[in-house]
Amino acid sequence: MRNLRCAHRWVAGSYSRLPITAIAWDDGNDSVILTTGPTKENDLIQLQRWKTAEDSDSDAIAHDSQLITSWNAPPPSPSNDCDQIVSLHCMSENSSICVVLKGGDIIIIRELPHSEEEKIEIVGTVDAGISAAAWSPDGELLAIVTLADTLLYMTRDFENIVDVTFGVTDLELSKQVSVGWGREETQFKGKGAKLLRDPTVPEKMDEGLPSPYDDGCCTISWRGDGVFLAVNSLQPGKRRVIRVFSREGALDSVSEPVDGLDSALSWRPAGNLIAGIQRHEDQVIVVFFERNGLRHGQFDLRLTKDEISIPGNHIALRWNVDSSVLAVRLPNRVQLWTMGNYHYYLKQDIFLYAGKELQEPSLLVWHPEQNLTFAASSNCDLQRFDYAYHVAASEPVSPHDYGIVAVIDGQKLKLTPLRTANIPPPMALYELSLASSIIDVAVSSPKASRAHACIAVLLPEQIQIYEWNVAEQKTQSPLLRTTLSLDESSKLTQSDRKLLNLQVIFLGHDHLLILQSHETHNVAFIYKTERDSLLLVNSTKQSIAHQFLNDISRTDPLLYTRTLFPNVQVAQILYSDADLVNWQKKTVIASFPKSTQNVALVTLEETHLANGSSSLTGVSTLAFGLTLGGSLFAGNRCITKNCTSFFLTPSYLIFTTSQHLLKFVHLTIIENLEVPLDTPELDERCRSIERGARIVTVIPSIFAVVLQMPRGNLETIYPRALVLAGIRRKLDQRKYKKAFLACRSQRVDMNIIHDHRPDEFIANVGLFVDQVVKVEHIDLFLSQLREEDVSKTMYKETGISGVLDAPLPNIENSSDTTTRELSKVNRLCNAFLTALKSRASANLQNIISAHVCKNPPDLEAGLSVVASLQRDHPAKAELAVEHICFLADVNKLYDTALGLYDLQLTLLVAQQSQKDPREYLPFLQNLHGMSTLQRQFNIDNYLARYSKALGHLHETGVFEDFKSYTIKHNMYEIAIHICRYQEEGVKSIMKPYADYLHKESKFREAGIAFEYLKDYASAAKCYHLAHLWRESLSAAILASFEESALKALAEKLAETLIQLKDYQSAAAIHIDYLHDIDVAARILCQGYWFSEAARVLVLHRLPASLELVVDTGLTEGMASMTEFLAECKVQLSAQVLRLRELRIKKAEQPLAFYDGSANNGADIPDNVSLAATDASTAGGSLFTRYTNRTGTVGTNATRKTSKNKMREERKRARGKKGSVYEEEYLVNSIGRLIDRLNATSDELKRLVEGLARRGMRERAKAVETSVIELIALCRNCVEEVFQTNKVVVGDKVAKDGDTADRPSGADGLLWDSIEEVQIRRDPPMVKDFEKVSILGS
């Protein structure tokens, strides 16, 4: 779909009057090396260097050339009129030039010779003469075919390394496989045999007959990688044959016989095809061969009868450097062919003018680095052409973006509106046939002022304007509106015959610009398009060109512009390498750092957010340019360096990259342009595309991007960014129907219709219903509602605040606070129910859907609507029940209808279900024969609504049934509530309720229930089991327990409380109920309540027991606490030291640390980058075994079973030394130690105070010192152990809720362990210990 547009034409006059005989590129300084002579009259050879005008220091054409040297080359023999140059090659690295003459001389010309070197040196001579020569692409080998039919290979030092002689036996070499097709014995004979002929066998087998126009020349062509060489030569007495040789000189293959094969030859640099010329009586075709010599396709050159008879040496073939364009050199012109979808397009038919006559382009050579640049010589003139790819497409401005694309194919123009007819090339919707080959074409979309598109076709001597009405449903063919002869309009004189038409573009609505090339400058004409004519309104004459355009012949000329917005009235053109200028105001609009290949313009209104409000600051024009190297510039800023194509829409810059991604950039001021990252899975602005795809056009109105694949076929995609931008724009404009249909066709979650602007949509639900109209569409929208806000999750806005969005409409009614508190789905359903009240007759189905689509579904309300219809409109009720059964589970609907106690509605729903009538009909008939209360009870009991059934059963007045039903379903609380005003009923229910609580081990509640029933004995037992000693002993006394039973109960309770370490309560029982003061005091001492024990003994006049009880308890307590403190100190010291060692090891050798092996400094293999084999990764690498983030683990090492998980849990809990869990275990152990110390702080304090009170000062001092030392140790290690100064980049995975990377099974435990160690935790607080002052410091 891409055309070739001439970006620059440079013409140089001849330095001498001798004809140009050879040309070559010097890629070192982008200049052309050429030779003139020798001729019959003059044997002088002149070697010259030509530079383009922009590389010259002066405007004069004569200064663009430089004579390198000259010498005389006499004829090699008296039979020859003059010598010929067969090869010219420039070696830029050593500033030398190699010239190979037909007479056999190989000459080196040194531009900067050393003192001991000669400027011109004949480095070798082939005595037999040379018919063809060619250097390999890498410049290391020179291939020569002599007149004696031998092939020579020479190195850069001109040493002969290969000498191969052509012979007849070469033709016997064949790599072609024959399966017998075409032989006599394999052919079917008989009636109708011709109709049954194998279509793979040609009717006539070529014998290799030479063409009558064959000149006997030999041609050499290297493959692009320099590994193989093709030689096209004439085998005397046989045929013309193409031989393929390897770089070592071995014959690889020969071509199959082809009648009429000419000497032209060019091997495609990509390597897959060898191009040649075959002549027929009525046509000349380009034929292709594979490396093995087999034919592989062809195409016609479309020559006239007069052109078919031209001599063979007047046709030559040349592939460009990237194999995309094939140049065919003809006597009067050059053809440029491209291929797409196996069809060859004639993109340019270049006529070279020189004076008044057409001249033969005797030589043509492509630039070795710039793929669309070539030089051609015509007699004494040299011309350079720079081309650029260009898609002739209409502007992407809605609603007139029909995606019209014009493709040039010689004299045919293929037109396709891709929006309405996506026809793959080489086909097209319409083809225009013109009188001559097309040079350029421009397309202008329909506008509001006109309903047709305009197509401007530039021909060699005229321009034609076509109108095409593409807005009609049945598109008509384009109509020719006007034709203008450019010679007449510009009034050219005879001296101006060197003008060539280059480009045509539309400027604004009704202006057309045509660019023509002269020898020294370019000329531009602006025409105004009228109904049936073109009016010249401006032109760049010589005076204007030098004053304003600064002599644009010295710069790259007009390339490619497009005006995207109708309000742009000025004509904006690119007139130089990097400057964009306003034609009328003569001011530079934008500048690029480098010369650009393609340029596009867009205007936007800039906004800046200030204090939360938007303020309009002006209108800006953005210019985007793409260089030949793939750099995309926005003014002076480089957007990306790997762009392959780009396109502008009113909202986006869209471009493709060499990483095969399609990216979208929101248009804003240059400083705020944000290019998305290469993350198509995360960002809607980035999308993966097929390898090598390029943009053809963009159609925003249907959210389409048309891409062309490298092989030529088209692919239309609907990128999410473009789709969402269009949907948001429709929602901003309150065009809800278009937004809905876009969501429906593009599979976009319809929640965006509400979530984009929730309050506005809630206020305009009625407008949505009026626009959408269709009941089915409204149902579709309601059925897809979800609580998720898709505008913040899957369709998060990626735009930039610097872009002015559509103006926000005023919202008249906003939702109140109560509505906002509801869920999103219920709020929307309620809004639809409100809006549909006045449309109940037409939207009854939607009302039912709104009820059913609530969260949770309001099935009762929906069935109530059906029930009302059943009473008023029975016919509609059946349709309504069908719809509601479609939306919800019919079994739930059946139960809900039954719960409404409406048997008729229940029957209607059951008939729509898959239930067996033999099941539900007897059941419904049985219910129909019952009384109301009995029917309601049976329905609720059937539906397991036992609380309602219990209420209905109570209303019947049968208490025994009520009680038995309560016991059956354990509904004691509900039954008590129902009977709350009936004391006897409550007591009757309370007894089984108390037994039920006792059975369920709810002893406290059971005791209360028994006590409510005055059953104190049972209550005492229940309180005892609940460890409620006060309530139990009180109930026992009220139950009149015997003294022995009461004492036994008290002893049991005291023992239980001691086990629970409730020493004060146990002591209270011994004091109050058992009257054993000594035992009570000992129990208090066990709990370190020494002060309370002393008080009790003194209170009961037992001071003598202080020494026996309290002092003994203090001694035992001191021994226990001293041992505890010593153990803590030893544990803390050992674990902190071990933890320090582990962390040092982890920092030095992380792999050894996680492997849990100690290799004493030995090398530990890191198999992270190895292939996933059982041998290399059976144990798992650092990242596979313990994080599962990279690589794989051997199948024999899988740890995802539950058994392995339990084993891993035990390993983690033990924290065995040397395991990966040891660090986590040590940190947690130290934390638990600090917690134990804090928990015993009060007991230690009471112990120290007790020892001091009883005169044991030294012991108290020892305990206090040990405690203070342990506290100091804990505080000193907290920072190191818990890494309080650790910088953490991110929180634990579980905190974010992102557990997508967490493995399952045993590996998940390892993951958790590593994450636990890596995060920073809050260290535990160490409590202060208050000293006793009398003990001293």
Side-chain angles (χ1 to χ4, degrees):
M1 305 297 282
R2 295 186 298 173
N3 300 320
L4 287 176
R5 170 174 278 181
C6 186
H8 181 80
R9 176 195 178 229
W10 172 74
V11 183
S14 175
Y15 182 82
S16 66
R17 296 183 179 181
L18 295 175
I20 299 174
T21 53
I23 56 176
W25 284 97
D26 183 359
D27 53 354
N29 55 12
D30 196 26
S31 59
V32 179
I33 305 297
L34 61 88
T35 60
T36 59
T39 62
K40 296 179 181 179
E41 296 78 12
N42 191 348
D43 59 1
L44 178 68
I45 297 178
Q46 293 180 334
L47 185 65
Q48 306 174 33
R49 180 185 299 275
W50 293 81
K51 293 184 179 180
T52 57
E54 58 187 1
D55 295 327
S56 178
D57 297 330
S58 173
D59 294 339
I61 294 298
H63 292 171
D64 289 338
S65 64
Q66 174 188 357
L67 179 63
I68 299 175
T69 188
S70 63
W71 71 95
N72 291 320
S77 64
S79 60
N80 295 328
D81 295 333
C82 64
D83 210 340
Q84 296 180 16
I85 298 176
V86 296
S87 174
L88 176 65
H89 179 70
C90 179
M91 294 178 280
S92 304
E93 60 275 6
N94 55 10
S95 300
S96 60
I97 300 168
C98 178
V99 179
V100 180
L101 300 179
K102 186 174 183 179
D105 292 339
I106 303 173
I107 305 171
I108 286 292
I109 298 94
R110 301 179 179 90
E111 295 188 76
L112 301 173
H114 297 295
S115 57
E116 66 277 3
E117 293 180 337
E118 297 181 1
K119 188 176 184 67
I120 304 175
E121 180 184 358
I122 299 177
V123 295
T125 301
V126 178
D127 296 334
I130 300 174
S131 61
W135 285 86
S136 63
D138 57 2
E140 297 295 330
L141 285 181
L142 172 62
I144 296 175
V145 176
T146 68
L147 294 176
D149 287 340
T150 59
L151 173 66
L152 307 178
Y153 281 176
M154 291 187 178
T155 64
R156 288 177 63 91
D157 298 328
F158 301 100
E159 296 180 2
N160 189 14
I161 59 175
V162 172
D163 189 345
V164 179
T165 302
F166 298 161
V168 180
T169 57
D170 296 344
L171 305 184
E172 299 176 1
L173 177 67
S174 176
K175 290 188 175 182
Q176 303 152 15
V177 179
S178 175
V179 294
W181 291 344
R183 293 182 181 177
E184 184 75 17
E185 57 270 20
T186 63
Q187 301 304 305
F188 172 75
K189 302 295 183 180
K191 186 177 182 181
K194 207 168 190 180
L195 298 176
L196 298 177
R197 186 183 62 83
D198 191 338
T200 63
V201 179
E203 295 184 2
K204 176 180 176 296
M205 302 294 291
D206 285 356
E207 301 176 1
L209 300 177
S211 167
Y213 302 100
D214 198 319
D215 53 4
C217 293
C218 179
T219 313
I220 300 176
S221 182
W222 286 88
R223 200 169 75 172
D225 57 2
V227 177
F228 289 96
L229 169 74
V231 179
N232 186 349
S233 62
L234 187 63
Q235 186 67 34
K238 292 291 183 180
R239 62 182 175 92
R240 180 168 285 279
V241 62
I242 299 175
R243 294 177 173 89
V244 176
F245 292 90
S246 68
R247 193 178 179 92
E248 291 75 23
L251 181 62
D252 185 73
S253 64
V254 296
S255 63
E256 65 175 276
V258 176
D259 293 342
L261 188 64
D262 261 1
S263 60
L265 181 70
S266 183
W267 199 327
R268 196 166 185 246
N272 59 334
L273 295 176
I274 302 173
I277 293 293
Q278 183 186 17
R279 291 177 179 269
H280 295 280
E281 295 180 358
D282 55 348
Q283 64 178 350
V284 177
I285 62 176
V286 175
V287 293
F288 296 109
F289 296 89
E290 299 176 9
R291 200 192 82 190
N292 59 10
L294 290 176
R295 286 276 297 271
H296 189 93
Q298 63 186 37
F299 68 89
D300 186 8
L301 287 180
R302 309 175 189 176
L303 301 181
T304 63
K305 292 183 179 180
D306 296 334
E307 293 173 329
I308 292 175
S309 61
I310 59 178
N313 63 343
H314 285 197
I315 299 181
L317 302 175
R318 294 289 185 273
W319 284 102
N320 70 335
V321 66
D322 67 348
S323 307
S324 60
V325 180
L326 176 63
V328 180
R329 190 204 70 190
L330 297 171
N332 58 343
R333 65 188 188 275
V334 173
Q335 292 182 344
L336 300 181
W337 295 81
T338 64
M339 191 268 285
N341 260 10
Y342 305 100
H343 174 80
Y344 281 84
Y345 298 84
L346 177 56
K347 291 299 182 182
Q348 288 290 330
D349 208 352
I350 307 166
F351 289 84
L352 303 179
Y353 288 81
K356 300 180 183 179
E357 302 296 334
L358 291 173
Q359 298 295 321
E360 173 192 339
S362 57
L363 300 169
L364 183 145
V365 59
W366 285 98
H367 196 287
E369 294 179 353
Q370 301 177 19
N371 59 331
L372 296 179
T373 298
F374 67 89
S377 67
S378 175
N379 197 3
C380 297
D381 290 341
L382 180 68
Q383 302 189 42
R384 167 177 171 163
F385 291 87
D386 292 338
Y387 279 84
Y389 285 116
H390 164 62
V391 178
S394 57
E395 299 93 335
V397 181
S398 300
H400 307 293
D401 51 341
Y402 290 96
I404 302 174
V405 178
V407 181
I408 297 174
D409 189 9
Q411 298 181 5
K412 293 182 179 180
L413 183 65
K414 300 175 181 290
L415 297 171
T416 303
L418 295 174
R419 175 176 167 182
T420 56
N422 198 341
I423 299 177
M427 297 180 291
L429 185 63
Y430 290 103
E431 288 189 3
L432 297 179
S433 297
L434 294 98
S436 57
S437 296
I438 303 170
I439 297 176
D440 196 17
V441 62
V443 181
S444 178
S445 294
K447 301 293 189 298
S449 58
R450 69 169 191 261
H452 56 269
C454 287
I455 303 168
V457 184
L458 184 63
L459 302 176
E461 296 183 354
Q462 64 182 6
I463 184 170
Q464 295 183 355
I465 307 297
Y466 288 84
E467 287 184 354
W468 195 16
N469 192 346
V470 293
E472 297 181 356
Q473 292 184 353
K474 187 177 181 180
T475 307
Q476 303 295 328
S477 60
L479 301 176
L480 179 63
R481 190 175 75 181
T482 181
T483 301
L484 177 68
S485 174
L486 297 179
D487 290 346
E488 296 177 0
S489 64
S490 55
K491 300 180 180 179
L492 301 175
T493 62
Q494 291 296 325
S495 62
D496 292 326
R497 288 292 298 172
K498 296 180 182 179
L499 283 173
L500 285 180
N501 296 328
L502 296 183
Q503 302 178 20
V504 59
I505 62 170
F506 279 99
L507 297 176
H509 290 177
D510 51 3
H511 286 77
L512 198 66
L513 185 143
I514 299 173
L515 187 71
Q516 295 180 336
S517 173
H518 194 264
E519 282 187 348
T520 59
H521 62 278
N522 291 341
V523 180
F525 300 93
I526 297 181
Y527 296 88
K528 184 176 182 181
T529 59
E530 297 293 342
R531 175 62 186 169
D532 296 318
S533 63
L534 288 173
L535 302 179
L536 181 65
V537 296
N538 197 353
S539 64
T540 57
K541 301 298 182 182
Q542 293 297 322
S543 59
I544 298 177
H546 286 281
Q547 293 175 6
F548 166 47
L549 294 180
N550 191 23
D551 192 2
I552 62 176
S553 65
R554 298 183 62 245
T555 63
D556 285 344
L558 176 68
L559 290 179
Y560 164 48
T561 68
R562 174 176 285 128
T563 301
L564 289 178
F565 288 88
N567 58 358
V568 178
Q569 300 296 335
V570 296
Q572 299 166 338
I573 66 169
L574 181 71
Y575 81 101
S576 68
D577 271 353
D579 291 334
L580 199 66
V581 76
N582 186 306
W583 180 282
Q584 296 178 354
K585 296 182 180 180
K586 302 179 178 61
T587 57
V588 175
I589 298 173
S591 296
F592 300 110
K594 297 181 181 179
S595 177
T596 53
Q597 177 186 13
N598 267 341
V599 173
L601 303 176
V602 67
T603 60
L604 71 154
E605 297 175 345
E606 300 178 16
T607 60
H608 300 282
L609 297 179
N611 299 324
S613 61
S614 299
S615 59
L616 187 66
T617 61
V619 176
S620 174
T621 299
L622 295 182
F624 296 90
L626 178 63
T627 66
L628 189 63
S631 296
L632 179 61
F633 288 93
N636 290 323
R637 179 187 171 188
C638 182
I639 299 297
T640 183
K641 294 185 178 180
N642 59 352
C643 179
T644 56
S645 64
F646 78 100
F647 204 90
L648 276 178
T649 70
S651 301
Y652 286 103
L653 163 67
I654 309 173
F655 64 92
T656 57
T657 70
S658 56
Q659 277 74 36
H660 325 301
L661 297 173
L662 181 68
K663 293 190 176 183
F664 294 79
V665 178
H666 293 272
L667 290 180
T668 180
I669 56 178
I670 294 178
E671 294 77 9
N672 292 340
L673 291 174
E674 182 182 356
V675 180
L677 300 176
D678 297 346
T679 53
E681 66 279 359
L682 300 177
D683 196 339
E684 68 180 30
R685 297 171 298 170
C686 182
R687 170 175 175 151
S688 298
I689 56 176
E690 188 173 335
R691 179 183 298 270
R694 286 176 170 82
I695 300 174
V696 174
T697 188
V698 179
I699 312 173
S701 60
I702 61 171
F703 325 118
V705 175
V706 182
L707 302 172
Q708 187 168 29
M709 305 302 112
R711 57 185 174 272
N713 60 307
L714 297 181
E715 180 178 337
T716 302
I717 63 174
Y718 300 87
R720 190 62 73 194
L722 209 59
V723 172
L724 294 177
I727 291 173
R728 292 187 185 108
R729 188 163 54 249
K730 299 302 180 186
L731 293 174
D732 293 337
Q733 299 168 357
R734 295 184 181 176
K735 297 180 179 180
Y736 294 116
K737 182 176 182 179
K738 292 185 177 180
F740 171 83
L741 294 177
C743 292
R744 182 169 175 257
S745 61
Q746 299 299 329
R747 296 182 178 273
V748 175
D749 195 318
M750 293 187 182
N751 284 271
I752 194 176
I753 298 176
H754 166 268
D755 297 341
H756 179 59
R757 288 183 177 175
D759 295 335
E760 178 186 344
F761 183 76
I762 289 292
N764 291 279
V765 168
L767 179 61
F768 175 86
V769 174
D770 292 337
Q771 289 184 2
V772 175
V773 179
K774 283 191 175 182
V775 175
E776 296 81 4
H777 288 174
I778 298 174
D779 277 350
L780 179 62
F781 173 76
L782 290 172
S783 63
Q784 293 195 4
L785 293 178
R786 292 184 291 115
E787 297 294 344
E788 178 186 359
D789 187 350
V790 296
S791 66
K792 296 180 181 178
T793 54
M794 59 193 306
Y795 301 139
K796 186 177 180 180
E797 177 63 64
T798 58
I800 302 175
S801 58
V803 183
L804 181 65
D805 293 332
L808 297 177
N810 294 326
I811 301 175
E812 300 175 359
N813 301 318
S814 61
S815 302
D816 55 12
T817 306
T818 305
T819 306
R820 288 182 179 275
E821 292 176 354
L822 296 175
S823 70
K824 164 190 155 183
V825 175
N826 292 345
R827 193 156 50 96
L828 265 174
C829 290
N830 291 337
F832 270 89
L833 290 173
T834 303
L836 294 173
K837 280 183 180 179
S838 58
R839 307 173 177 86
S841 58
N843 297 87
L844 187 62
Q845 182 173 311
N846 299 141
I847 294 175
I848 296 174
S849 299
H851 285 299
V852 176
C853 291
K854 286 184 178 181
N855 187 20
D858 192 356
L859 300 180
E860 292 188 2
L863 289 172
S864 299
V865 175
V866 177
S868 62
L869 285 176
Q870 193 177 20
R871 292 190 299 268
D872 303 333
H873 304 283
K876 292 183 178 180
E878 291 189 8
L879 298 176
V881 79
E882 288 181 7
H883 177 66
I884 197 171
C885 290
F886 171 75
L887 294 177
D889 184 3
V890 69
N891 294 320
K892 292 183 178 179
L893 286 172
Y894 177 82
D895 293 342
T896 304
L898 194 60
L900 293 176
Y901 311 117
D902 190 339
L903 300 182
Q904 209 169 10
L905 179 62
T906 305
L907 179 61
L908 193 61
V909 172
Q911 290 172 348
Q912 298 296 327
S913 68
Q914 300 296 322
K915 292 180 177 292
D916 189 352
R918 291 175 297 180
E919 294 179 1
Y920 66 80
L921 282 179
F923 174 70
L924 295 179
Q925 291 173 354
N926 185 30
L927 291 176
H928 186 71
M930 298 180 183
S931 63
T932 303
L933 287 176
Q934 190 178 7
R935 183 189 309 123
Q936 292 175 350
F937 166 75
N938 281 276
I939 289 174
D940 290 330
N941 182 63
Y942 173 79
L943 297 176
R945 300 191 299 189
Y946 301 121
S947 57
K948 284 189 175 183
L950 188 64
H952 295 311
L953 194 58
H954 181 264
E955 291 180 7
T956 60
V958 183
F959 187 79
E960 289 302 324
D961 294 344
F962 174 78
K963 181 179 178 181
S964 60
Y965 194 79
T966 300
I967 296 173
K968 179 180 179 181
H969 295 288
N970 299 322
M971 295 187 297
Y972 301 101
E973 296 179 10
I974 299 174
I976 290 172
H977 177 73
I978 294 174
C979 301
R980 59 187 179 277
Y981 302 118
Q982 303 172 7
E983 186 64 25
E984 294 299 327
V986 171
K987 290 182 178 181
S988 179
I989 298 297
M990 190 66 72
K991 181 61 172 69
Y993 186 29
D995 296 335
Y996 170 77
L997 292 173
H998 185 273
K999 181 180 179 181
E1000 294 293 322
S1001 299
K1002 298 179 180 180
F1003 302 115
R1004 186 181 64 84
E1005 292 86 350
I1008 295 173
F1010 281 120
E1011 195 168 2
Y1012 178 83
L1013 296 172
K1014 310 300 182 183
D1015 188 356
Y1016 297 111
S1018 300
K1021 294 178 181 179
C1022 291
Y1023 287 137
H1024 176 206
L1025 295 173
H1027 310 306
L1028 301 175
W1029 63 277
R1030 294 179 180 87
E1031 291 82 354
S1032 179
L1033 290 172
S1034 300
I1037 295 173
L1038 290 174
S1040 302
F1041 273 27
E1042 294 182 358
E1043 189 65 26
S1044 59
L1046 183 61
K1047 184 178 180 180
L1049 178 61
E1051 289 176 351
K1052 290 180 181 180
L1053 286 171
E1055 291 176 2
T1056 303
L1057 291 173
I1058 291 174
Q1059 293 175 1
L1060 297 175
K1061 295 186 179 182
D1062 189 357
Y1063 299 105
Q1064 289 181 311
S1065 297
I1069 293 175
H1070 277 278
I1071 294 171
D1072 297 337
Y1073 294 95
L1074 299 177
H1075 309 291
D1076 192 344
I1077 306 302
D1078 287 346
V1079 174
R1082 287 189 177 91
I1083 292 173
L1084 289 172
C1085 289
Q1086 289 181 23
Y1088 294 89
W1089 298 101
F1090 302 106
S1091 298
E1092 181 65 16
R1095 186 194 69 81
V1096 170
L1097 290 173
V1098 173
L1099 178 64
H1100 291 82
R1101 305 296 186 269
L1102 296 173
S1105 299
L1106 288 175
E1107 184 176 352
L1108 180 62
V1109 176
V1110 177
D1111 291 353
T1112 303
L1114 286 169
T1115 303
E1116 293 175 354
M1118 178 189 172
S1120 176
M1121 283 299 180
T1122 302
E1123 183 181 359
F1124 164 73
L1125 294 174
E1127 289 176 355
C1128 289
K1129 189 179 296 184
V1130 173
Q1131 176 186 342
L1132 186 63
S1133 301
Q1135 289 183 340
V1136 170
L1137 181 61
R1138 176 58 181 169
L1139 186 61
R1140 189 179 298 126
E1141 293 175 357
L1142 285 175
R1143 287 176 175 169
I1144 292 174
K1145 179 182 177 182
K1146 182 173 69 171
E1148 293 176 351
Q1149 296 178 327
L1151 187 59
F1153 172 78
Y1154 283 112
D1155 279 344
S1157 60
N1159 295 332
N1160 298 323
D1163 292 336
I1164 299 175
D1166 183 2
N1167 58 2
V1168 172
S1169 61
L1170 297 179
T1173 63
D1174 288 343
S1176 62
T1177 58
S1181 69
L1182 167 62
F1183 299 103
T1184 59
R1185 185 178 177 191
Y1186 299 114
T1187 65
N1188 201 35
R1189 288 180 176 175
T1190 306
T1192 58
V1193 178
T1195 55
N1196 59 348
T1198 181
R1199 295 136 60 90
K1200 295 185 178 180
T1201 63
S1202 59
K1203 183 178 180 181
N1204 287 338
K1205 182 179 179 181
M1206 294 173 62
R1207 185 186 303 118
E1208 205 72 21
E1209 287 175 349
R1210 291 193 295 270
K1211 287 183 181 180
R1212 184 180 182 186
R1214 286 197 303 267
K1216 183 180 178 182
K1217 185 176 181 179
S1219 69
V1220 292
Y1221 300 114
E1222 185 181 3
E1223 182 182 7
E1224 180 193 10
Y1225 175 81
L1226 291 175
V1227 173
N1228 294 335
S1229 178
I1230 295 173
R1232 290 192 298 269
L1233 185 146
I1234 295 175
D1235 292 339
R1236 288 170 56 198
L1237 179 61
N1238 291 334
T1240 58
S1241 177
D1242 292 338
E1243 296 179 357
L1244 287 167
K1245 182 179 178 182
R1246 294 197 297 269
L1247 175 62
V1248 172
E1249 290 176 352
L1251 290 170
R1253 288 180 61 187
R1254 295 298 298 166
M1256 303 177 190
R1257 183 180 178 279
E1258 294 301 327
R1259 295 182 181 183
K1261 180 64 177 177
V1263 174
E1264 184 182 71
T1265 303
S1266 299
V1267 173
I1268 293 174
E1269 289 177 356
L1270 182 57
I1271 290 175
L1273 285 175
C1274 291
R1275 287 178 175 172
N1276 291 336
C1277 73
V1278 161
E1279 182 176 349
E1280 179 184 358
V1281 172
F1282 295 96
Q1283 298 179 321
T1284 56
N1285 57 351
K1286 181 179 179 181
V1287 178
V1288 180
V1289 178
D1291 293 336
K1292 188 179 177 183
V1293 175
K1295 290 185 178 179
D1296 319 286
D1298 182 12
T1299 58
D1301 293 335
R1302 184 187 184 278
S1304 59
D1307 288 338
L1309 295 174
L1310 291 168
W1311 172 287
D1312 294 339
S1313 176
I1314 294 175
E1315 291 287 339
E1316 187 72 24
V1317 172
Q1318 290 176 351
I1319 66 170
R1320 182 177 60 193
R1321 298 188 302 176
D1322 294 333
M1325 298 297 297
V1326 183
K1327 284 186 179 182
D1328 291 330
F1329 187 79
E1330 186 178 352
K1331 295 182 180 180
V1332 179
S1333 60
I1334 66 172
L1335 300 179
S1337 58

